[in-house]
Amino acid sequence: MKVEVGTLEQLPKRLGKCVRVGNRELALFRTSDDQVFAVENRCPHRGGDLSQGIVSGEFVFCPLHDWKICLKDGRVQAPDEGCVKTYRAAVKDGLVYVEL
């Protein structure tokens, strides 16, 4: 199911935005080259709010303990371990959609 979650304009580059879709809390990110990613808004380490993290390339850094998480596949980068759920995101006519 594809759900509209806002506009591209509402997503600042290299920062996150928290959105609720049903009972899910997602973190949306827009990279410096306008790619949009969506992941569950919870770091696997201590539950940090990933939407408050900083984006560098295709990674977000958890604001609590600086864990580096890949926005493409949700995997935490070594030496840390873990994973967050990712959701396919798309932009069409300036609107952002997430596939649940």
Side-chain angles (χ1 to χ4, degrees), residues 32-90:
S32 57
D33 62 354
D34 289 330
Q35 292 183 78
V36 176
F37 294 95
V39 300
E40 67 178 301
N41 192 29
R42 183 172 165 74
C43 178
H45 177 229
R46 298 272 178 152
D49 182 346
L50 292 178
S51 71
Q52 299 299 310
I54 299 295
V55 174
S56 178
E58 294 176 342
F59 297 91
V60 62
F61 289 83
C62 177
L64 293 184
H65 300 102
D66 209 33
W67 277 33
K68 184 179 180 182
I69 300 167
C70 180
L71 294 171
K72 281 186 167 183
D73 61 17
R75 292 184 186 193
V76 173
Q77 303 303 289
D80 303 310
E81 296 179 357
C83 192
V84 297
K85 183 165 178 56
T86 59
Y87 299 87
R88 186 172 305 188

Side-chain angles (χ1 to χ4, degrees), residues 1 19-26 85 87 100:
M1 170 173 59
V19 296
R20 269 205 179 279
V21 180
N23 62 350
R24 294 179 177 101
E25 189 172 285
L26 308 180
K85 183 165 178 56
Y87 299 87
L100 302 177

